[in-house]
Amino acid sequence: MGCNHGARCMGYHAGMRRLFAAVLFLLVLGSSAPCVRGEAYDAKPKLVVILVIDQFRGDYLDRFRDSFTTANGFNLFLKKGAYFNDCYFDYANTKTAPGHATIGTGAYTDGHGIGSNEWWDLRRNTDRVVSSVEDERYRIVGNFEDLPVLPGTVILPTAARIGASPLNLHATTIGDEVRLATGGQAKLFGISLKDRASILPSGQTANAAYWIDQASGRFISSTYYMAKLPDWVIAFNTGPRIAQAVKEAGLADTNEFYNLVGRTTAANSYELDFAKALIENEKLGQDPVTDVLTVSLSANDILGHQMGPDSDDEKQMVLSLDHDIDSFFTWLDEKVGLANVVVAFTADHGIAPIPAEAAKLGVASASIDLDALGVSIDAALNKRFSPGMKKEYLMPTQELPYIQLDPRAFPKTVTEKDAEQAVADAIPAAFRALGPPPSPPNNNLTVEGDRKYSDTRLDANPTVAFVRTRVDLADGKIPATEFGRLIAHSYTANGDWYVMVVPTAYQMEYLNGIRTTHFSPWSYDRHVPLGFYGAEFVPGYYRQQVAPVDIAATLASLLGVNAPSASVGHVLTFALKDAAGR
Ligand SMILES: [Zn+2]
């Protein structure tokens, strides 16, 4: 990589491009060592940062914008950049893995293949779901072999330390396209607390993706990227930073870094300090070839599931993020110069209010007991395929918006189409059988003659809005409506037989240990912020409807590279300066 001529980009606007190209040409001519860095990319940004805040809903910045006091925090987008407050994912499976894949690839699930965080794939594992990024062909790098073992840590044999890779990601990312356009000279890295959130947005050609070992908080990777952690990562892991984060989280010590530190504001500065170490040690943005870094801050999601979007804890997290992001970009300004940096800011999905709190205001929200739903569906299938028996036709764990079948349970003569249709047929009655929620009780009915009525609002019953089999989704048997488009974008061939199930808005599965979640095609799950900072953007507050897929398309246009392979986004031309730099 030693090809830095020390040519510092002199600002970044169209008028300087030719001059810069001429200077660079002379430098290349005058260089004693042959060097092709920069030839493909004259006067492009030195560094593109894609910043994702996990579960950061699109209304948060408007809700709290009067409280943002920093220059380079959220105001980097709200005041100095182009900010879009009407940005919605155009698909129905708003989970973390597909969200991050969508941000990187500019495609939806029907383009990149990632349908959920994990799913049943009986060809790979019959005991448990497989994660979106686990890959048994590799092993995890860095949690034990290079480092002292923490007291109480169970050391798994190498064979059990299953690695990770973008094997299920069937499309390139914007970072991949920059790597391809520069013959691999551009550097590409991904960082998150979560493996899926570092691997999927960065892409197939990433030099490395880093995430944390959930027990210790150490940054780790996979042999897909490297055989051994670089020295600087080992130094970060063995330095004082983990203990500092634990202390900032108000803990004495922990073997549950992800759960306990990961849900606090301390986790954001911890991640951003790792990003700084990476930028410094991997020398990102130090030469004319554009590098790409994706950073996904996870703490907001871990906290948000537990406390809900309308809690004071969430507000404090947003205000703290403003300061952490300000510190990071102020540091980056000194290190690389923000004139040489383009930043895209968004989230992987939104979040629903806590069902009971929405119900207090009169919204027909409800929690769905997925186990009870499964019992009803199994009963209907036994009646049809195995009368008198109690066979289990569904996989033992389920995660909406997909209900996964167990193909092994069905008689050999039953096709996937017929099996899925039988489940789909059973679902409306199974929802009705769930009845009113057991608590809080709100069924004090007055009886007058043969009539019963309530003097107060009743709790809502769980209801289903949409059901479709995998076979029908694959065949395109989807309503030709706006809603149908969201569903079509959610099709995946990954995993086994499934039926897509969308409950009515503000309803969600009963949650164990958390209080709210995201998974649906409804607006609160699809609404995310979108902000750009960079010399080619016209600063402003934009109300046009945009989507996170537009990030990759816009960056590709800006950088003069191909859009990612399955990209369906649009270039946000109305927010870009014209050829005269206006
Ligand atoms: Zn997420």
Side-chain angles (χ1 to χ4, degrees), residues 296-319:
S296 173
L297 300 175
S298 310
N300 188 63
D301 181 72
I302 304 167
L303 177 83
H305 277 295
Q306 292 167 343
M307 307 310 292
D310 305 307
S311 61
D312 192 54
D313 304 72
E314 178 58 50
K315 180 181 179 183
Q316 294 311 317
M317 174 65 80
V318 175
L319 298 184

Side-chain angles (χ1 to χ4, degrees), residues 208-435:
Y210 294 105
W211 59 94
I212 64 161
D213 168 52
Q214 295 208 350
S216 66
R218 292 163 176 165
F219 277 92
I220 58 176
S221 191
S222 163
T223 51
Y224 176 81
Y225 303 101
M226 65 190 79
K228 184 178 176 300
L229 289 182
D231 289 344
W232 71 264
V233 179
I234 295 173
F236 186 93
N237 283 337
T238 51
R241 198 57 186 84
I242 292 176
Q244 184 192 328
V246 171
K247 193 177 167 199
E248 285 170 8
L251 302 164
D253 193 13
T254 182
N255 258 351
E256 280 189 80
F257 188 98
Y258 180 88
N259 288 330
L260 299 182
V261 182
R263 56 167 283 176
T264 71
T265 56
N268 294 321
S269 55
Y270 177 68
E271 267 195 79
L272 290 168
D273 276 0
F274 185 79
K276 289 181 192 170
L278 187 150
I279 289 167
E280 217 152 36
N281 286 283
E282 300 293 351
K283 300 185 169 52
L284 299 195
Q286 300 297 310
D287 61 49
V289 178
T290 305
D291 299 320
V292 180
L293 173 66
T294 70
V295 181
S296 173
L297 300 175
S298 310
N300 188 63
D301 181 72
I302 304 167
L303 177 83
H305 277 295
Q306 292 167 343
M307 307 310 292
D310 305 307
S311 61
D312 192 54
D313 304 72
E314 178 58 50
K315 180 181 179 183
Q316 294 311 317
M317 174 65 80
V318 175
L319 298 184
S320 171
L321 276 162
D322 185 45
H323 286 275
D324 292 330
I325 292 169
D326 174 64
S327 301
F328 176 73
F329 284 114
T330 301
W331 175 89
L332 196 62
D333 193 23
E334 288 158 14
K335 194 77 199 165
V336 178
L338 283 183
N340 302 309
V341 175
V342 166
V343 187
F345 160 62
T346 191
D348 57 338
H349 51 75
I351 185 74
I354 293 169
E357 292 182 5
K360 274 185 213 159
L361 295 175
V363 172
S365 67
S367 294
I368 297 156
D369 184 339
L370 274 191
D371 290 338
L373 193 78
V375 168
S376 287
I377 295 168
D378 270 335
L381 267 64
N382 272 295
K383 208 170 161 187
R384 183 156 167 185
F385 297 120
S386 49
M389 293 175 71
K390 286 193 168 176
K391 286 181 80 168
E392 292 178 353
Y393 287 96
L394 304 180
M395 297 309 294
T397 61
Q398 301 292 344
E399 213 173 300
L400 293 176
Y402 304 102
I403 295 281
Q404 284 203 263
L405 286 65
D406 187 345
R408 301 166 301 182
F410 290 85
K412 289 280 176 281
T413 51
V414 177
T415 63
E416 178 189 356
K417 182 183 168 67
D418 291 342
E420 288 173 357
Q421 194 56 54
V423 171
D425 291 346
I427 281 175
F431 263 80
R432 284 194 294 275
L434 292 174

Side-chain angles (χ1 to χ4, degrees), residues 54 96 194 301 348-349 518:
D54 206 308
T96 292
K194 305 178 181 184
D301 181 72
D348 57 338
H349 51 75
H518 48 86

